[in-house]
Amino acid sequence: MTRYANKKAVVIGGTHGMGLAVAEALVDGGAELLVTGRNRRNVEAARAKLFSRAHVVRSDISDMTDIATLGAEVGQKLGQIDFLHINAGVSDLEPVERVTEESYDRAFNINTKGAFFTAQRLLPLIKDGGAIVFTSSIADESGTGGMSVYSGSKAALRAFAKVLAAELLPRRIRVNVVSPGFIDTPTMGVAGASAEERAAFMEIGDAVTPMKRHGTADEVARAVLFLAFDATFTTGARLTVDGGLGQDLSPIPA
Ligand SMILES: NC(=O)c1ccc[n+]([C@@H]2O[C@H](COP(=O)([O-])OP(=O)(O)OC[C@H]3O[C@@H](n4cnc5c(N)ncnc54)[C@H](OP(=O)(O)O)[C@@H]3O)[C@@H](O)[C@H]2O)c1
């Protein structure tokens, strides 16, 4: 396929889940790609999946030295890029009283600070007319119990994205956010979730989602790539991929 031939892209947090689905669609379409992840074993596995068509590197988004090194590596391997996808994110499900300074810092360092400084470092490498898509969550607006820190970290990310969209208007770089609901991924976005917890999470998601099912990583990837390449008159926007969960939908009363 040649859908993305001659396009160059970077996917931050693309070794499994939704980020990998975006990376796979891009390489299938002929793009040249650099993908990151933190866990070495997952980096190796993604490298095997994406064959030789993507540079897959270990880089921790919460480490400022790694961000600086990544900038140099992207410049050296790809040069100017068309699309930057900042997808890495983690969530600890914990009620307010269980939140620790450590879990708070972890969420904000990855989801918010890391995303911000990665965008800042890679900005000079994005072509004028290119695009950035951040992965947020419907939790960036909702009041779901157990997600105070995660929601705050993603709401801040959403705010950063809007200002970035405004500041990048002169360079015609569009900046948008995709906000998924319950999506079937290896972690479901929840750090250290056991198989049982993941299954329970999925069951709750299917029950509360108006479309009565969870989404797939491919469904999110299609929305991300729409924002990246097709939505040429859209910037500063938040696109939900949530089966209606964040939309306050009510069925017709019986
Ligand atoms: N799944 C859901 O239901 C859901 C819902 C709403 C929003 N989200 C958001 O969607 C995004 C993707 O979620 P997902 O479910 O696809 O998650 P996932 O399967 O856990 O994938 C996350 C990706 O980010 C990477 N990553 C994690 N920490 C990193 C770090 N410190 N530095 C660099 N890379 C790192 C992971 O690599 P390693 O772990 O191998 O290092 C992996 O490649 C996240 O931002 C999440 O918050 C998920």
Side-chain angles (χ1 to χ4, degrees):
M1 265 186 48
T2 55
R3 173 85 176 81
Y4 306 116
N6 304 319
K7 299 291 184 197
K8 293 183 181 182
V10 172
V11 180
I12 305 293
T15 53
H16 48 88
M18 303 173 208
L20 180 62
V22 171
E24 286 179 320
L26 284 167
V27 291
D28 284 352
E32 197 181 342
L33 199 62
L34 188 143
V35 171
T36 74
R38 185 180 50 174
N39 180 289
R40 281 183 202 284
R41 202 178 308 157
N42 294 336
V43 164
E44 290 303 327
R47 205 172 272 149
K49 269 203 183 108
L50 297 167
F51 307 105
S52 55
R53 292 180 292 170
H55 310 281
V56 187
V57 302
R58 194 202 160 272
S59 181
D60 184 344
I61 194 174
S62 64
D63 183 322
M64 293 297 284
T65 308
D66 275 14
I67 292 174
T69 307
L70 179 72
E73 200 160 2
V74 170
Q76 187 204 340
K77 292 204 160 85
L78 299 182
Q80 294 291 112
I81 61 171
D82 299 278
F83 172 44
L84 171 62
H85 181 32
I86 302 190
N87 171 70
V90 292
S91 144
D92 287 294
L93 269 183
E94 46 191 12
V96 168
E97 59 273 16
R98 283 225 309 268
V99 173
T100 61
E101 187 177 1
E102 193 189 359
S103 65
Y104 182 100
D105 284 346
R106 181 176 133 79
F108 272 84
N109 285 344
I110 294 173
N111 302 350
T112 314
K113 180 181 171 190
F116 179 88
F117 284 105
T118 300
Q120 185 197 56
R121 176 63 187 87
L122 296 185
L123 262 185
L125 294 171
I126 302 176
K127 290 177 190 168
D128 289 0
I132 303 174
V133 176
F134 292 96
T135 308
S136 180
S137 164
I138 56 162
D140 62 12
E141 277 191 2
S142 69
T144 306
M147 292 197 154
S148 55
V149 173
Y150 178 68
S151 296
S153 72
K154 292 292 194 181
L157 179 66
R158 162 84 180 113
F160 286 162
K162 281 191 91 157
V163 176
L164 211 53
E167 292 191 8
L168 291 173
L169 287 169
R171 290 186 57 200
R172 295 177 291 105
I173 295 173
R174 296 175 300 101
V175 184
N176 292 292
V177 162
V178 67
S179 289
F182 284 88
I183 310 295
D184 183 5
T185 68
T187 66
M188 301 271 314
V190 179
S194 65
E196 294 74 33
E197 285 167 331
R198 191 180 163 285
F201 204 46
M202 191 95 92
E203 205 174 305
I204 295 167
D206 291 356
V208 300
T209 298
M211 288 177 72
K212 294 295 168 209
R213 67 171 179 90
H214 48 269
T216 66
D218 284 339
E219 287 176 309
V220 180
R222 284 201 292 274
V224 168
L225 293 169
F226 166 74
L227 289 172
F229 295 107
D230 300 316
T232 50
F233 198 46
T234 302
T235 192
R238 170 186 186 262
L239 176 58
T240 51
V241 186
D242 65 351
L245 182 56
Q247 313 310 321
D248 199 18
L249 306 180
S250 311
I252 299 169

